[in-house]
Structures are given as structure tokens and as C-alpha cells.
Amino acid sequence: MKIIIVGGVAGGATAAARIRRLMEEATVVLYEKGPYISYANCGLPYYIGGVIKDRASLLLQTPEKFDSHYHVEVKVLHEVLKVLPEEQKVIVKDLQTGETFEDSYDQLVLSPGSQPLRPPIQGIDLPGIFTLWNVPDTDRIKRFLEEKRPKNAVVVGGGFIGIEMAENLRHAGLEVTLVEMMNQVMAPFDYDMALMLHRHLRECGVQLMLETRVERFEAVKDQLSVKLSGGESLETQLVILCLGVRPQTVFLKDSGLAMNARGALVVDEHMLTNDPHIYALGDAVEVADFVSQAPTMIPLAGPANKQARIVADNLWKPGSSAYRGSQGTCIVQVFDLTAATTGHNERQLQTRGLRKGPDYDVVLIQSKSHAGYYPGSCGMTLKALCETESRKILGAQIIGYDGVDKRIDVLAAVQRLGGTLDDLQELELAYAPPYSSAKDPINMVGFVGNNQKKGLVRHVQIPEMKEGDYTLLDIRVPEEWNLGEIEGAVQIPLEQLRHRLDELDRDRHYLVFCAIGVRGYIATRILMQHGFMASNLAGGYAAYNNYSCGEEELVCRNIPVSTMMDFSEGGAALGKAPLDGKTVTLDACGLQCPGPIMQVAEAMKALEEGDYLQVSATDPGFLRDIGAWSERTGNRLIESGKVDKTIQALIQKGQPRAMVRPAEIPHNKTIVVFSGDLDKAIASLIIANGAASMGRKVTLFFTFWGLNVLRKSERVPVKKNLLERMFSAMMPRGTGKMGLSRMNFMGMGPRLIRKIMRDKNVDQVEALLEQALKQGVHLIACNMSMDLMGIREEELIDGVEMGGVASYLAEAENADTNLFI
């Protein structure tokens, strides 16, 4: 039997080796159009970043070595141009000589792989724009880095390769901007999980531009100008395109082989095409989704290698081996974070028409990689999805610093074997303090899921907070409140909760939160057993902070991880002058939140103003927590960063008086708009727009009659009682019905002032309001006033936020100008 294999990387080389082990007498010929076979394409980004030093280590096999081991005739730089199924022949071109010839087969194995997408973007072929897919691509990028020595790079696409390239270009010393058209990186993850990756990427110095498209590329001198949607431009010398892949099957278009709309070959469970003599595998085929059994395409190395073995088995004994579908199990390193997933995410389930609650359940927990008391313990977030009735695992996602790989593998194995979320409780997993906990994170997912099923606790996800009428209850300790708060939350530490239950309202539904959710569960159980309605906020304040913390806040409150530091034996920060005060060291390693912060707070009490505290911790959240804590408590964070897996921080207690600098005067502006008069509304908006144009942050707080400025001009059908309807009828509906404070002239005054404004080329109030929104002016409608006056949120224009006095006062505290109009 003569077997021809097309494609010699992961799938093709594996098939050839397996065929030879099963069929010693078969003639096997492998055609590969590139210069290399069986190379480590997953390692290419790490060679570019210098993590992998030796290029030769990427080349797992040479044609000569492969032939000597497996007696397979390997022909590199030979491109198969066409397949003729009826004649059982292929047409091949020798890319070195240009010669074209025919070769016949008894059985054909197609493993052509995929190729990077290069959409028709203007300027995409300019020098300095690369894709990364094979060894020659790697050599071109590496050579460019060595010869041109660019200082920055733009990576387009936030998938696996895009993330790996961003990381490795940072390792190579470049400033990196990652542009992604979706609202998140890493599409296999749900948005709430991807937020952790966003934050970490930014902490590691990657500028992240989400919901942004590349419109075109332009050459500007020796630079590239990347023109983005929204009118922005990025100037760079290097662009890496990571926009996804498509099957490399164009050469098969006239072969009669069945393909789907995206060009992937259709195969059965034995990897056989619609031709009985042709098998196909890898990135070029359509397979069954393991969860839904629907056709899909999952271009991963693991499935390709398994499919290659199945093809070889079926060539040996037809029909003896079958492929049962792909789960999409994958893992990626994001600097020192690890992100892994298997099966479906929530978005995929919802696309299939499934709904949370009736159709599927979510378990979200925060756990530790191993026993918290053993040094080096790090946090991880696990999210598991299961069918509501059967409890079968539909998918899982994990993000953490250590131990993520083995946990995702356990979940993938349980899913593959048809296990349920409840089965996770019973798994007997290896335990010793350096490796795990007596209750492994996998067991904890099962325990929490079982508690939910039994009704012992109801977990509310962050996006669901606004869907219910909840009263927030913060049961963290006071030291943790300095890390940040959720506005409006009642604060009662867990230790005091049982003794202060009489302070709570039994008619309210309390949404309880702690740092990560564990203590929140305890508090929820206390409340429920005392007759209160209570739910636990999944992921706690850490999850809320991920959702609410924008890039601007992140930058101003935390020192990026890229600002690495170390300490000398003398207690001075590396590269700094000797410290001028007493230095005390604190080892908070192994403690989980809130342990490190509480120890810092306690240690600070014993220090004098001007003394220094040098802290080591292993809780990853400590890196961002210490910046927020220092800022809110009046202490000074000198420097922070990571050394291996340890977070180190140097904090000064206050500052010696001689070193105190005058406080910077804030330049924010706040305006309380109390009046519903047209002229006062115009004045308010002119002042607001003027301040915003000077780069100031401006907040307008509309209360009582001022709410009329925000009302829509058209009538909105909303349900109101008699008194509310009377109020609505008496008040002007929007700016078009508002009168002047003086000389109203029975309605003529507003018309006159509008005419004068038109004649003098002054924008009308409606245009001023629109300008304010475009400039980012913060418009807050007073909730209390709305209730009193019977105004509903639906009656207000778009872009207005609901808030109370606390919202206004929080802005006013940081303002140098506060007006009441």
C-alpha cells in the first residue's frame, strides 16, 4: 500500500510515525511545502521574546532523521497543487526546481493545516507588518528586531498568539500596544474572567485598546502609522497581525471533496472524507463539538495529534478508531498569570438558546494554588458551568498564578468521561502543603455547586447586581475598607454580625460581600438562618473591583509590575539612595486576603512618622491593594513590584515635615443645577463645556426643578400615581418647554433668547447638552428628587446616571470650584 501524506507539521508527522509503527511494509511519502517538518510552532513566540534561546530546539525532527527512524520519504519544499481523487493522484511542484509532477496513491492523508488571516486592509503589505505562523515567519521577525531595533510594536488581535506575542515583545524590551476589535481579549473566556487578563496585561505595561479596529496602514518616513476606528493613530515600526486562521484548502476546491462554508473538510468520526481513499485531520477539518455535538472548527495541536493517530489506526484496520469530538481545552501564559479553559463558556451556551437558571448553573470561586500557610500560595479564580438538571459539566475556566494547568486537566477529564459537577466533591486528589489543600480547588467547586443546588446559598454574579433590589452588606474588616468600597453598602464586619442583626431590616434582600466570597458565604448562612433574605456576591469585592476599575484608575492607583524592584541587605531599595529612617521588615508570605493588609496596618502602628516598612507577600492581589491602602491611609508607597513570585513593597509612614509638599490643588468642577429656568440651564452648560474643553473633570448634579433640563421632549408612557401625574403635568417636559427666570413674557422670552443666540452663533441649549455628553461631562440625576417629583429614569435623555448626595459630594471633595445654579 502506498500512502501519501500532505503536510508535515504536527498532524502529518504524527500520522506518518504511527502508520509506520502499525504498517512496516507500507510505502509512505510525506510532502511539505515549507522547509521544515515537525517543528514546535507553539514555541515560536517564546523564541522571539528570548525565553527560548536556541533556535535548533524548535526543530523537533529533520527530514533525514525522520526517514532514518521511520523509513518515510520526506520531501520538503514540495507543494501539492491539486488532488485528483478519481485517478488517485496528486500534482506536486518542487519549489526549488520549479518542476511539476504527478504521484499516485492508494490512500491519501490530508493535513495541510491552516494559514493566518490577512484581511484586505489598505497598506497591509507594507514592510514591518508580519504574521507569525511558521519558522520562516519567526526568522523574519527575529531578524527585523535585531536589525531595526524598534522601540515599540503594535499587535493586532487578542487571541492566543496575540497575547503570547504581546508578552514576548515586552520581554524583548519593546513598548507594546494590543488592538482588539472585541470588548475583550481571549474569546474562549467569559467577559468577567477576561477582565482579570485585561488588568494584568495593563499592569505588565501592555497598552490595551479594545473595541477598536484597524482601518488602514500608512508608511510615514521610516515608521508605520496604524489608523484606527475612532480617528486615532499609532506610530510604530513593527506590526504583528494575529487575526485568526483559516483552513489551507484552496488547492482542494476542484477535488470534489466536501467542505463547509469556511473551507474546512467535512469528515466522519473516523476522519474519512466523502472519498473512501482520502482521510483528513487537523486545522483543515470540521469536527464535532464535544459539548453540543454541532459541527465546529477547533485548530489546536492536541486534537490534531489525536486525529493523526486515529487516521493511522483506520488505515491499518478501517473503522477501528473514532474521534468523539473536541472540547477546546487550551491554556495560555499571560506574563506570570495562567489562563485555561475547556468546553463551552456562557456566551456559547446563550448562543445556543440556553439561559442561566433554568438551563445551566454557574459556580464561581476564588481559591489558593496550595495550602495558604505554605510559602508561595497564590490565588486562582475558577468558573464552572453545568446543566441545571443533569449537573453535567458544560465548561470551565480558570485564571491564576500556579496550579491552573492540573486543575483544568481534571475538569476536562471529568467532562470527557461524562461526570457531573457533584462528582467533583468525591474526587480523591493528591495533597501535600506544597501542592494543594486538603480540600482541593476542584473539590471546592463541587462543594459550592452542591450548596447552590440544595438552596444553602444563592450566588449573584457581578452583572446581575443591578437586576435585583439588593441592599449591599460589606462584612470585611475596617482595614479592608481602606482598599475601596462599594457605594451605599452597609458595613458590619463578619465578627460583629451576629451581635448587630437588630441593625438590619428584615424586609430587605441583603447582597453580602467580602474580599473574595468565602466569608461572604458564612455571613449569608448566618443571615438566612436568622430569617433574613440574603445572597452572596460571587467573587466578592475583588470581582467587583475588576468590573468597576477602568484603565485610568488602575494607572493612578498602582505601580505596574514592569517596575520590578529588589532590596539590598541594608534595607535600601535597589538603585535608591540609603533610606533616611528606620526600616522594619514584614514577611506576609503565605497569607491570603485580607491577611497581608491587616499585618501591614498593625505593623504601621508601631512605626514613627518617616519610618519605612519593607513587606514581602505572595497574595497576588496585594500588589494593587497596597497602592490603594497607602493612598487612603496617608502613607507613602515608595515602590512595589514582583521578584519571582513574591510581591515586595516599600512604604513610608507619612512623610517628615521637611519633606511634605503642598497638596496639589484639584481642578475638577462641580455644579448643582437646582433651577429649571432656560437661561440658568444655558449658563450651567456653557460653564461646564468651557471647563471640559480645558481638560477638567466636570460633574453636573441635577436636583428638583433642574431635572427638567434632562427630560425628553416627547411623552414617555410610564406608570405613575395621581400625585406624580399632577407634578409631571405642571413641569416643562425638556428644554424646549422651559421658560426664562426673568422677562418670560408669557412664553415669548425663550423664543427671543433662542433667536438672539442663533443670530450671535451661540449654540442652543440642546446642542450644549449634546456637547457636554461628548466631552465626558458627568450628568447625575438626583434619585431622591426624582422620587419626590414623580420623574422616572425612562423619561430622561440617554447618558444620564442616577445618583444621590453621596455621588455629588464624592466629586465635590476633589473639586476646586463648586457652583449652585
Side-chain angles (χ1 to χ4, degrees):
M1 179 187 293
K2 182 178 179 181
I3 302 169
I4 289 179
I5 301 173
V6 180
V9 190
T14 297
R18 176 73 171 171
I19 288 167
R20 179 55 71 223
R21 288 193 292 269
L22 297 175
M23 306 167 69
E24 179 64 24
E25 301 303 319
T27 299
V28 183
V29 180
L30 189 154
Y31 289 111
E32 166 57 47
K33 72 175 182 179
Y36 305 99
I37 64 163
S38 191
Y39 56 84
N41 51 355
C42 295
L44 301 180
Y46 300 97
Y47 172 63
I48 290 173
V51 177
I52 296 174
K53 305 293 184 184
D54 185 5
R55 179 182 180 276
S57 65
L58 299 171
L59 307 176
L60 306 180
Q61 289 280 1
T62 65
E64 296 77 20
K65 187 177 178 181
F66 201 82
D67 189 12
S68 65
H69 279 196
Y70 301 109
H71 189 46
V72 170
E73 185 180 358
V74 178
K75 297 187 176 184
V76 295
L77 295 172
H78 279 67
E79 180 179 7
V80 174
L81 302 177
K82 202 168 188 179
V83 173
L84 305 173
E86 292 183 1
E87 302 175 39
Q88 291 185 220
K89 290 181 180 179
V90 294
I91 299 176
V92 187
K93 182 178 182 179
D94 185 331
L95 298 179
Q96 292 176 296
T97 66
E99 175 193 0
T100 299
F101 60 91
E102 291 183 352
D103 198 359
S104 60
Y105 61 84
D106 295 308
Q107 296 287 341
L108 177 64
V109 177
L110 297 174
S111 181
S114 54
Q115 60 188 15
L117 287 172
R118 290 182 67 91
I121 300 174
Q122 181 182 334
I124 198 169
D125 295 319
L126 288 170
I129 301 176
F130 300 90
T131 55
L132 176 64
W133 199 241
N134 53 32
V135 175
D137 290 340
T138 307
D139 291 339
R140 283 190 286 269
I141 296 171
K142 191 80 169 175
R143 192 180 312 116
F144 186 91
L145 290 172
E146 292 170 353
E147 293 176 356
K148 302 294 185 181
R149 298 193 176 279
K151 291 182 172 56
N152 57 52
V154 174
V155 176
V156 184
F160 285 91
I161 297 177
I163 294 292
E164 290 171 351
M165 280 307 307
E167 175 185 348
N168 281 282
L169 290 171
R170 287 290 290 144
H171 287 321
L174 281 71
E175 295 296 321
V176 177
T177 300
L178 192 153
V179 179
E180 167 58 50
M181 63 182 288
M182 292 176 57
N183 67 344
Q184 68 170 81
V185 300
M186 299 297 295
F189 292 82
D190 284 318
Y191 180 72
D192 58 339
M193 298 293 282
L195 284 171
M196 289 180 273
L197 302 180
H198 296 172
R199 186 164 193 163
H200 194 64
L201 285 164
R202 287 167 173 150
E203 286 175 341
C204 294
V206 176
Q207 182 185 0
L208 203 55
M209 302 186 72
L210 301 173
E211 297 184 272
T212 305
R213 297 173 182 267
V214 174
E215 301 287 352
R216 65 185 185 280
F217 300 101
E218 294 179 1
V220 181
K221 296 182 180 179
D222 59 344
Q223 293 262 81
L224 288 165
S225 181
V226 185
K227 304 296 183 181
L228 305 175
S229 57
E232 295 178 89
S233 297
L234 298 173
E235 308 304 318
T236 186
Q237 287 181 281
L238 174 63
V239 174
I240 307 291
L241 301 176
C242 307
L243 299 171
V245 298
R246 63 182 178 190
Q248 200 164 205
T249 55
V250 175
F251 72 102
L252 298 170
K253 65 178 182 179
D254 297 323
S255 64
L257 297 177
M259 299 187 202
N260 68 13
R262 295 174 59 189
L265 291 160
V266 177
V267 296
D268 64 13
E269 62 179 358
H270 305 295
M271 310 310 296
L272 188 65
T273 67
N274 57 312
D275 185 292
H277 302 286
I278 302 177
Y279 290 85
L281 60 99
D283 292 3
V285 303
E286 177 185 88
V287 296
D289 181 304
F290 181 80
V291 178
S292 66
Q293 290 303 303
T296 188
M297 295 162 59
I298 300 180
L300 292 170
N305 277 278
K306 295 177 183 66
Q307 293 161 14
R309 289 177 59 87
I310 290 169
V311 167
D313 290 348
N314 289 321
L315 286 169
W316 175 48
K317 291 184 177 179
S320 62
S321 188
Y323 188 68
R324 305 301 182 191
S326 291
Q327 293 165 265
T329 307
C330 52
I331 191 166
V332 64
Q333 177 178 290
V334 186
F335 293 91
D336 44 277
L337 263 185
T338 301
T341 180
T342 190
H344 281 194
N345 57 32
E346 283 198 80
R347 185 175 57 255
Q348 289 172 293
L349 296 178
Q350 291 164 6
T351 300
R352 290 169 51 195
L354 304 182
R355 295 171 299 156
K356 182 183 173 185
D359 301 313
Y360 73 90
D361 289 333
V362 179
V363 174
L364 179 72
I365 71 164
Q366 307 275 349
S367 190
K368 290 289 179 180
S369 56
H370 59 252
Y373 58 81
Y374 188 87
S377 176
C378 298
M380 66 169 66
T381 301
L382 298 89
K383 181 176 184 178
L385 311 173
C386 71
E387 285 184 348
T388 301
E389 291 299 324
S390 71
R391 311 297 288 170
K392 277 193 174 183
I393 295 175
L394 299 171
Q397 302 157 53
I398 310 178
I399 295 178
Y401 291 84
D402 196 16
V404 171
D405 52 345
K406 68 178 181 178
R407 270 67 184 222
I408 201 68
D409 286 344
V410 171
L411 288 166
V414 172
Q415 182 186 42
R416 172 66 66 165
L417 297 174
T420 69
L421 198 71
D422 301 331
D423 291 334
L424 302 182
Q425 300 178 98
E426 301 177 15
L427 293 179
E428 188 173 333
L429 303 171
Y431 160 62
Y435 303 105
S436 184
S437 303
K439 292 182 287 188
D440 189 87
I442 293 296
N443 298 134
M444 290 302 302
V445 172
F447 296 149
V448 173
N450 189 259
N451 286 339
Q452 289 182 185
K453 183 177 74 170
K454 292 179 177 177
L456 294 176
V457 65
R458 176 176 177 265
H459 286 101
V460 174
Q461 311 296 319
I462 299 295
E464 299 168 346
M465 286 178 63
K466 294 182 179 180
E467 295 177 7
D469 184 15
Y470 301 114
T471 298
L472 290 164
L473 178 59
D474 185 348
I475 54 91
R476 297 176 298 162
V477 296
E479 288 83 357
E480 293 177 277
W481 298 341
N482 287 321
L483 304 179
E485 306 166 49
I486 302 180
E487 184 181 350
V490 178
Q491 294 178 322
I492 302 178
L494 174 62
E495 290 74 13
Q496 302 174 20
L497 183 59
R498 287 186 177 90
H499 309 293
R500 297 175 60 182
L501 291 175
D502 58 346
E503 299 177 26
L504 302 178
D505 186 344
R506 292 184 180 274
D507 293 328
R508 294 181 178 272
H509 187 158
Y510 287 96
L511 181 56
V512 184
F513 68 93
C514 61
I516 59 175
V518 178
R519 288 171 291 162
Y521 167 61
I522 298 171
T524 302
R525 290 300 303 149
I526 293 172
L527 292 172
M528 291 176 69
Q529 292 179 85
H530 281 85
F532 289 90
M533 294 182 292
S535 300
N536 189 21
L537 183 61
Y541 181 77
Y544 173 84
N545 198 30
N546 270 333
Y547 248 84
S548 61
C549 182
E551 184 175 1
E552 180 180 350
E553 180 185 0
L554 175 71
V555 172
C556 72
R557 284 180 50 179
N558 299 283
I559 296 177
V561 176
S562 53
T563 312
M564 296 298 182
M565 65 172 294
D566 202 348
F567 297 100
S568 67
E569 293 182 1
L574 186 65
K576 302 285 184 181
L579 303 177
D580 53 2
K582 182 177 73 173
T583 300
V584 175
T585 60
L586 171 64
D587 185 357
C589 292
L591 297 177
Q592 53 187 314
C593 185
I597 285 295
M598 293 181 67
Q599 289 218 355
V600 168
E602 190 64 30
M604 277 293 185
K605 294 177 183 177
L607 299 183
E608 299 293 332
E609 188 176 20
D611 290 346
Y612 296 87
L613 184 66
Q614 179 179 305
V615 189
S616 297
T618 48
D619 178 15
F622 181 72
L623 183 63
R624 61 180 67 102
D625 287 349
I626 192 60
W629 183 87
S630 299
E631 181 183 340
R632 292 173 69 107
T633 55
N635 296 297
R636 180 185 172 208
L637 178 61
I638 305 295
E639 194 167 8
S640 68
K642 299 196 73 174
V643 179
D644 294 326
K645 293 183 179 180
T646 301
I647 294 146
Q648 299 189 359
L650 183 66
I651 312 145
Q652 185 181 33
K653 183 169 182 176
Q655 287 185 338
R657 291 187 182 278
M659 296 175 61
V660 175
R661 299 175 182 175
E664 182 182 353
I665 299 174
H667 295 297
N668 298 347
K669 317 294 178 188
T670 54
I671 303 174
V672 178
V673 184
F674 179 83
S675 171
D677 296 325
L678 178 63
D679 47 334
K680 294 177 181 177
I682 292 170
S684 302
L685 291 168
I686 288 175
I687 294 170
N689 281 316
S693 67
M694 295 171 64
R696 308 305 187 218
K697 182 179 179 183
V698 183
T699 300
L700 295 180
F701 185 69
F702 295 84
T703 183
F704 282 95
W705 315 114
L707 289 168
N708 294 310
V709 180
L710 304 179
R711 293 184 74 189
K712 295 175 181 175
S713 58
E714 68 274 10
R715 190 174 185 279
V716 179
V718 289
K719 188 175 180 181
K720 298 183 181 183
N721 59 37
L722 177 60
L723 200 56
E724 290 171 337
R725 288 200 302 272
M726 289 174 61
F727 258 109
S728 296
M730 290 187 291
M731 291 188 298
R733 187 180 295 119
T735 54
K737 301 291 185 180
M738 290 166 55
L740 297 181
S741 60
R742 302 284 177 90
M743 296 184 296
N744 194 47
F745 295 139
M746 300 181 67
M748 288 296 295
R751 297 180 186 178
L752 291 173
I753 197 67
R754 286 178 180 271
K755 180 182 185 306
I756 294 170
M757 291 174 71
R758 280 195 298 271
D759 294 343
K760 301 292 185 180
N761 291 320
V762 177
D763 287 328
Q764 299 292 331
V765 65
E766 293 80 11
L768 291 170
L769 196 55
E770 187 177 343
Q771 288 172 19
L773 287 168
K774 286 182 178 178
Q775 291 198 86
V777 173
H778 198 191
L779 306 183
I780 302 177
C782 176
N783 273 328
M784 181 271 292
S785 298
M786 291 176 65
D787 288 340
L788 292 177
M789 303 179 74
I791 296 176
R792 299 286 185 264
E793 183 177 349
E794 296 88 340
E795 295 179 88
L796 302 185
I797 62 173
D798 294 337
V800 178
E801 296 183 22
M802 308 300 114
V805 174
S807 300
Y808 155 68
L809 290 176
E811 298 294 341
E813 285 180 353
N814 291 309
D816 63 350
T817 303
N818 186 34
L819 304 177
F820 189 94
I821 300 177

